[in-house]
Amino acid sequence: MNMALHVYEDIMRMTENLSEKYIIGCGASSTVYKCVLKNCKPVAIKKLYSHYPQYLKEFETELETVGSIKHRNLVSLQGYSLSPYGNLLFYDYMENGSLWDLLHEMRFMQIRPCCRKDIWEGI
């Protein structure tokens, strides 16, 4: 794997301690934040909830599996940060949102029916 190891303190400073204003998504086991790194590249930062029972296992699994998979329809794992306060995973930032966002918003209904069918079948 060729991933960057980011310094936790730098990320906390750039996101104002993972302030709510940087949240771009959340789920049952994590919250995702947008961060612009020192090189001006935006990334999505996934912070797994440390109280989630499979926290460490999920973190290790994502590093091993998602970190080694390269596919044009999947975001790439760009790096990670290790800290006693919580581990972070860094993914490509999707400027237009995720496929889930598209499929669950009214924007999807504005796509021509033939294209919608292609999207559904391509999953």
Side-chain angles (χ1 to χ4, degrees):
M1 269 186 296
N2 185 19
M3 290 187 289
L5 175 62
H6 298 284
V7 178
Y8 187 85
E9 290 76 19
D10 290 344
I11 301 305
M12 292 299 106
R13 187 174 52 259
M14 288 184 267
T15 61
E16 301 172 43
N17 292 316
L18 298 176
S19 167
E20 283 187 12
K21 70 182 181 181
Y22 295 97
I23 293 176
I24 56 174
C26 52
S29 64
S30 64
T31 300
V32 181
Y33 302 84
K34 179 181 179 182
C35 177
V36 179
L37 299 176
K38 291 177 186 176
N39 64 3
C40 298
K41 179 181 177 184
V43 293
I45 299 174
K46 182 177 184 178
K47 180 176 183 182
L48 297 168
Y49 302 139
S50 57
H51 64 274
Y52 183 65
Q54 292 85 20
Y55 162 71
L56 286 176
K57 180 69 175 157
E58 185 173 331
F59 182 80
E60 291 169 0
T61 300
E62 286 200 44
L63 278 177
E64 292 171 9
T65 57
V66 181
S68 63
I69 297 171
K70 301 293 180 211
H71 190 278
R72 66 185 181 99
N73 293 330
L74 298 175
V75 294
S76 295
L77 182 60
Q78 297 296 322
Y80 61 96
S81 176
L82 305 173
S83 167
Y85 307 109
N87 297 335
L88 306 173
L89 297 165
F90 297 81
Y91 289 92
D92 291 336
Y93 176 72
M94 297 179 294
E95 191 67 41
N96 294 320
S98 68
L99 178 59
W100 191 94
D101 294 338
L102 175 67
L103 296 177
H104 292 88
E105 292 178 359
M106 288 305 294
R107 296 187 295 158
F108 185 65
M109 298 312 291
Q110 297 168 354
I111 297 172
R112 294 190 328 252
C114 63
C115 293
R116 281 186 279 175
K117 181 178 180 285
D118 291 343
I119 291 170
W120 279 109
E121 289 177 350
I123 294 177

